Amino acid sequence: MQDTSAPIYAPGFDALVATDGSHDSSAAHAADARLGVYLHMLADRISHHVCEDVSVISGPSSSGFYVDLTSGECAQPIHLLRHAWETGVDFAQLAPQDRTTLAMLSSVYQELVAFARARGVLRPGADSTATQAAYTVQLAAALQKFAAPDRIAAIDAVGCAHGLSPFPGQPACAAR
């Protein structure tokens, strides 16, 4: 087992996330990027539970990370398939162990609520169980659309129904 007590720093992170040309290196942008990295890690932990439940990952330490993903559940072909099964498929057709999208959406939603609360920008009612359930079920249904343009439009429609802006480059929400 590796020593996990030594932190790993990324002093160039703020500048790195500003190099896409559309953002600056402000503290707010860097904080949003860190939140995105965290949410991605959380989502991956849920969607890859079959692999990670039988794996060893430790670190960071002065010698780096120790990762043992030698289980067949961690092989690249099944890894790719599990990502493919997150969108564009009927989730009911998947084996129960691979129906991870709704659990992932629920966990990510809860974390977004916690971050919004901490930042003082939580919308009234967004933290209710009913709102979370409606939002995540609607997003899961949208993610099951097979054709990517239909899936993106469905995701935008869910966001619009909840008062959010569509993805950049997508049509604006219809006036209510």
Side-chain angles (χ1 to χ4, degrees), residues 60 65 68 82 105 165 175:
F65 285 88
D68 180 1
R82 287 197 168 107
L105 289 172
S165 300

Side-chain angles (χ1 to χ4, degrees), residues 142-143 145 147-159 166-171:
L143 288 170
K145 301 282 186 190
D150 295 341
R151 190 167 49 251
I152 292 168
I155 292 168
D156 284 348
V158 172
F167 290 130
Q170 290 296 105

Side-chain angles (χ1 to χ4, degrees), residues 13-14 17 23-36 119:
F13 184 84
D14 294 11
V17 299
H23 300 289
D24 59 30
S25 58
S26 68
H29 178 65
D32 289 345
R34 284 186 178 88
L35 173 59
R119 291 181 178 181

